[in-house]
Amino acid sequence: AYDIKECDWSSDVCSSDLSVFKKMAYSMGKKIIPQSWRTSTSMAAIKHQIQPKGQHYFGFSHLLGLEERNQLYNKEFLSVMADSEALALCEEYYFDPGAEETLDRMLHLDSKLWLPEDLLMKVDKMTMSWAVEARVPYLDHHLAEYVARLLVDQKIYGDTSKYTLKKTMHDLNHDEIVNRPKHGFTVPVNHWLRGSLAGFIEEMLNAPDLRIKKFFDQRQVVALWDRCRNGEDLSRQVWALVAFEIWYRIFIEGKQSL
């Protein structure tokens, strides 16, 4: 018997008993959730919630899970990638011995991958393309080093994130500014795919000379696009495939136009 009350939910490594329990929870979720809500997106959300914290966070670092990759890759590319696992890089940084708390591990992973390889890279490219000099004062290395040494409760206290920053700024700014919800620089990709770009993407992914079929099964690519058009939240996956196709044409084949 497994005592749920004594289960260490903060652990990053699940025992076999706990893994069985989480599989049962996922199975129960499929039975409880109404059929009309039972999309791949909602079920994926359940899977995320019942994963160990480390695995849950890794899910935000990639677009396709192992099962999805196995479906999308063509046989030749799948054989080449059989021994490759992108999550190994996430694990390397996440389980760095210098970070013991789960939150600190997540932040360390972000500082090594998400910030330099995604957010900062995009900010730099978009601003420099318009001759704008962007600055990131919160990444001053003295400040970053100080914040990294703060206790977890000084970063997130209860359900309040950025706790020390908000306390510091409380007397210097209005409450509606200090306590407003976080809002990222989101791009309306889903709206584009189902709107002005729908025809372009439909033609591109169904084209007989689709370049990325060197790596992906075109039938599965089109099936993914069809699911996206019909309402599933797969816009990031489709967008990545379209971007890869365009990148391949321009930088590998040297095309001057699409």
Side-chain angles (χ1 to χ4, degrees), residues 168-215:
T168 302
M169 300 300 295
H170 186 267
D171 295 331
L172 302 176
N173 219 323
H174 299 292
D175 284 347
E176 59 267 26
I177 299 297
V178 174
N179 297 311
R180 68 181 177 181
K182 182 177 179 179
H183 183 75
F185 296 99
T186 54
V187 179
V189 173
N190 201 27
H191 177 73
W192 292 344
L193 296 187
R194 297 177 187 176
S196 59
L197 292 179
F200 169 75
I201 293 173
E202 174 76 16
E203 181 179 351
M204 172 180 284
L205 297 183
N206 281 281
D209 60 345
L210 183 73
R211 275 58 164 194
I212 60 173
K213 67 181 180 181
K214 298 174 184 290
F215 314 98

Side-chain angles (χ1 to χ4, degrees), residues 20 102 123 137 171 224 234:
V20 170
T102 298
V123 168
D171 295 331
L224 187 75
L234 297 167

Side-chain angles (χ1 to χ4, degrees), residues 137-150:
Y138 284 149
L139 293 184
D140 173 86
H141 75 94
H142 297 294
L143 177 60
E145 290 165 2
Y146 168 76
V147 171
R149 293 192 296 268
L150 293 177

Side-chain angles (χ1 to χ4, degrees), residues 52-196:
K53 287 185 179 179
Q55 292 182 22
H56 176 104
Y57 199 63
F58 296 163
F60 295 108
S61 65
H62 62 279
L63 294 175
L64 300 171
L66 180 60
E67 183 177 342
E68 294 169 312
R69 294 200 299 272
N70 288 341
Q71 289 179 345
L72 274 176
Y73 292 168
N74 61 34
K75 292 181 179 179
E76 293 77 12
F77 190 56
L78 187 60
S79 65
V80 172
M81 299 296 291
D83 297 325
S84 175
E85 180 50 69
L87 292 186
L89 183 59
C90 294
E91 292 176 351
E92 176 185 344
Y93 291 124
Y94 183 83
F95 292 109
D96 186 285
E100 297 181 358
E101 298 286 349
T102 298
L103 176 62
D104 290 332
R105 289 177 173 179
M106 292 177 178
L107 293 173
H108 182 65
L109 175 61
D110 281 352
S111 70
K112 294 295 186 179
L113 293 180
W114 194 28
L115 276 175
E117 301 294 343
D118 189 88
L119 297 182
L120 295 178
M121 176 269 292
K122 290 176 180 175
V123 168
D124 184 60
K125 285 189 174 184
M126 295 304 102
T127 53
M128 293 302 291
S129 68
W130 292 93
V132 174
E133 289 286 345
R135 293 290 182 263
V136 281
Y138 284 149
L139 293 184
D140 173 86
H141 75 94
H142 297 294
L143 177 60
E145 290 165 2
Y146 168 76
V147 171
R149 293 192 296 268
L150 293 177
L151 299 175
V152 168
D153 285 347
Q154 294 174 300
K155 298 171 184 174
I156 297 181
Y157 188 78
D159 61 353
T160 302
S161 61
K162 303 181 182 178
Y163 180 72
T164 297
L165 176 62
K166 290 178 179 179
K167 291 288 287 185
T168 302
M169 300 300 295
H170 186 267
D171 295 331
L172 302 176
N173 219 323
H174 299 292
D175 284 347
E176 59 267 26
I177 299 297
V178 174
N179 297 311
R180 68 181 177 181
K182 182 177 179 179
H183 183 75
F185 296 99
T186 54
V187 179
V189 173
N190 201 27
H191 177 73
W192 292 344
L193 296 187
R194 297 177 187 176
S196 59

Side-chain angles (χ1 to χ4, degrees), residues 21-40:
F21 173 77
K22 292 187 173 185
K23 289 178 182 178
M24 289 172 59
Y26 174 66
S27 178
M28 290 172 62
K30 290 203 296 184
K31 296 177 182 178
I32 295 172
I33 293 179
Q35 184 69 37
S36 58
W37 295 0
R38 220 177 289 172
T39 64
S40 62

